[in-house]
Amino acid sequence: MATAQTAGAARYVPQDHGLESLRAAAQGCHGCALFEDATQAVFGRGAAGAPIMLVGEQPGDREDRAGEPFVGPAGRLLARALADAGIDPSVTYQTNAVKHFKFTRKDGKRRIHQKPSRTEVVACRPWLLAEIDAVRPQVIVCLGATAAQSLLGADFRVSTHRGEELRLPRAVLGAPVTPEPVVVATVHPSAVLRDRSDRHDEAYKSFVEDLRGARSAADGV
Ligand code: URA
Ligand code: SF4
């Protein structure tokens, strides 16, 4: 139904914002066309009350198969960076701006990641907002431009505001959440992974620094 595919996720998000209800309902989402080719919706991982929420772009090939976020190469880099920043993964809730994997096929089989469009990011945002409402994190870390622009607006530039302590715009948040989370934007771990230049170590260190900054904005972490 073409109308259902362009109307966004809002109509699929249940009233009950318990994480398990949300996770189950996301599997039935037809809020944009991405559900058609992906294996499954990849919902967030972690507990309600986790002080730090990490938001990536969308699941990759591995995540699409496993049904869990950050289990592939970018996830491994993220896990190492969290450890180096002194953040126990159990204090994080890890999710993505877009819940279905978007890809093209190369040579008829290999699946190549495609960046989600602004329309898809906005279509999927109700799931992310419901997760924020369910988890009530103290700090939200946007990993890369897609996550940052989902929560902070299409004009947001990570390069200009990286590492700053920001707030969610009311227009995005809808109803106020208390306590209001701090939002920090940094690069995506796959950008660090892809940086094979002699600046790689520096890129990794700055990423860890941003995570450390996020940690210090959360109480008792
Ligand atoms: N990249 C993301 O943005 N999210 C994942 O879950 C995996 C890779
Ligand atoms: Fe729904 Fe998001 Fe999947 Fe689109 S990407 S179908 S909005 S869960």
Side-chain angles (χ1 to χ4, degrees), residues 45-175:
R45 174 183 57 218
I52 301 177
M53 179 184 261
L54 302 168
V55 186
E57 182 189 75
Q58 62 164 341
D61 178 71
R62 305 277 187 88
E63 289 80 15
D64 171 78
R65 294 172 206 277
E68 273 200 67
F70 291 111
V71 293
R76 278 195 296 280
L77 186 133
L78 176 62
R80 182 158 68 92
L82 285 171
D84 287 342
I87 299 173
D88 189 315
S90 70
V91 305
T92 69
Y93 180 88
Q94 304 187 9
T95 192
N96 285 300
V98 169
K99 305 305 193 230
H100 278 105
F101 178 37
K102 182 177 184 181
F103 59 93
T104 49
R105 282 195 191 272
K106 195 173 175 199
D107 311 325
K109 49 178 193 227
R110 218 157 79 79
R111 303 192 301 172
I112 309 294
H113 160 277
Q114 270 201 304
K115 195 174 146 61
S117 69
R118 177 71 188 163
T119 309
E120 288 153 351
V121 171
V122 170
C124 210
R125 187 165 54 196
W127 291 116
L128 183 56
L129 295 177
E131 284 174 296
I132 293 171
D133 188 41
V135 175
R136 300 284 165 121
Q138 295 177 44
V139 184
I140 300 173
V141 184
C142 297
L143 302 169
T146 300
Q149 291 175 356
S150 174
L151 291 177
L152 298 165
D155 296 333
F156 184 85
R157 294 289 170 267
V158 174
S159 52
T160 321
H161 297 289
R162 178 173 183 173
E164 291 175 12
E165 291 192 11
L166 308 163
R167 297 282 168 183
L168 289 178
R170 270 294 138 78
V172 167
L173 199 55

Side-chain angles (χ1 to χ4, degrees), residues 19-36:
L19 283 174
E20 286 321 307
S21 317
L22 292 174
R23 178 191 311 281
Q27 292 307 332
C29 184
H30 293 185
C32 74
L34 293 183
F35 76 93
E36 287 174 0

